Amino acid sequence: MKKFYITTAIDYANGKPHLGHAYEKVLTDVIARSRRMMGEDVHFLTGLDEHGQKVQQTAQQRGIEPIELCDEASGDFRGLCRDLEISNDDFIRTTEDRHKKVVRRLLQKLYDEGRIYKAEYTGYYSARIEQFLRERDQVDGEWPAEYGEVVEITESNYFFKLGQYQDWLVEFLNGNPDFIFPRFRGKQVLEFLKEPLNDLCISRPAERLSWGIPLPFDEDYVTYVWFDALVNYVSAVGWGEERFESYWPADFHVIGKDILVPPHAVYWPIMLKAAGIPLPKSLLVHGWWLKSGRKMAKSTGNVVDPLDLIGHFGPDAFRYFVTREMNVGQDSDFSLELFMSRYKSDLANDLGNLVSRALNMIGRYCEGTVPAASLEEEPEKELRALWEETRKSSAELYADMQFHVALEKTFAFIRAINRYAEIRAPWKLAKSDDDADRKRLETALATLAEGVRLSVVLLKPVMPGTAERVYRLLGLTEVREWERDLEWASILEGKKVSAPEILFPRPKTEGAPE
Ligand code: MSP
């Protein structure tokens, strides 16, 4: 069976993990986990981009070897994945042999087939972004500050014949409007391709940059950043080996909008085409998290690092927040106030209280065993109808990458269960001696428990820890797959539930926001 293969960008090793990295991993994880729930055999890759000038320079400044810096970063980024409960199957580092080997094999193939040539090149070079710039990158005759120092240099280098594939790429993009999600990003690529495409310089003289993969056909050069980094998507799954066929083409490359044009939408498709490797099925391009300093400041004036929130409130609260607030493709502002309000109202209040209420009442009125639902009156009918609608729309929303709306609907269902509890008022029914009321009471408790169960099954891709915890509290073992577990059923009948636990407590850690 072909795997559902999904990747994130690989992060630069010379920086610390930040909100943007965390978001991308969560987004990809939500897709990976939801696909597993749909029965797909998922392979989820993330990793670290370790070569290049910046790593070499940073290591030099710190008086350590580049690989030491990368080892440190690898610890930090793997730590981030662990803290966020990211379910990646693999973590690739571009300094690993398995990667270097494939990069060299690919370069050799393209060189042998005449797609790479050597030429002298004079251009304006920015060491900060490790790229030659174009005249039109200037603003009013000046190089913008983001490029740092820009110097004119002449050197011999190797070039990849990018330009000759321009017409092919335009045609491909026009014929495959779903290649890039959201679609408006595809239009930006076509806009970029209106200008003639230059061949791509793919090397750096080793004397200037030693921290890279040597070209197999000229060891005086190392390959330049994109030809190294992009190849991770195929090196990790063994391009050239038999197993490659069961992974490739990738189903999604998840990336941020800054690395769509030109790397992922122009260089990568052309590199693959030239090498005779099929293209990935789709690029999923997310927007950026912006941080307004004002909003991130606590009343005391301290600025909160969003990643600290994982420690204070747990991975699921963080995962919920970024998935709930970001409309995939758009930008979003990270605000602490909003985080706290979602934590308190959606998680602690709507979901957390519902779970403890349900468990409490089952404990009090049914000795901790979920009773049978023997009636179906108007309140039950309404709740069930809402569930069927929620379930159906969730499937569509997941397919359309509308995770924020899917969560909104799930929480609308959770609030409806809370309202159902108010309407049925089991605490009142418990006082009645009437047989019909006893049935209503039992039905209400069974319905509450089933509503809770279904909600957490639906929430599992976003809040895996919470889903499993609630499942155990309900006397069940493991959330497995959506087709079966999202069915309104009576599997809880006769199950012994646990005493309630506080799922979303006030943070105890010092320095946590209130
Ligand atoms: N190493 C390259 C990618 C190579 S992929 C073959 C790189 N690394 S990065 O560390 O700068 O960025 C990694 C990912 O994080 C990118 O997809 C980028 O868009 C994303 N983000 C970086 N800052 C971000 C935000 N503020 N918000 C959301 N995502 C952002 O680029």
Side-chain angles (χ1 to χ4, degrees), residues 9-12 18 20-21 24 49 226 229-230 232-233 255-256 258-259 264 286-289:
I10 49 171
D11 306 317
Y12 284 131
H18 57 59
H21 301 131
E24 187 170 291
D49 187 356
W226 288 108
L230 288 162
N232 91 87
Y233 300 132
I255 54 168
D258 55 314
I259 54 170
H264 282 82
H286 62 76
W288 269 43
W289 280 98

Side-chain angles (χ1 to χ4, degrees), residues 46 136 147 152 211 232 332 366 418 472:
T46 186
R136 66 182 137 101
Y147 298 128
E152 192 176 12
W211 188 238
N232 91 87
S332 201
C366 291
N418 275 311
R472 278 196 307 275

Side-chain angles (χ1 to χ4, degrees), residues 324-339:
R324 175 68 184 81
E325 285 306 315
M326 180 69 99
N327 178 347
V328 179
Q330 309 292 316
D331 290 343
S332 201
D333 201 27
F334 197 98
S335 127
L336 181 60
E337 276 91 344
L338 202 50
F339 178 90

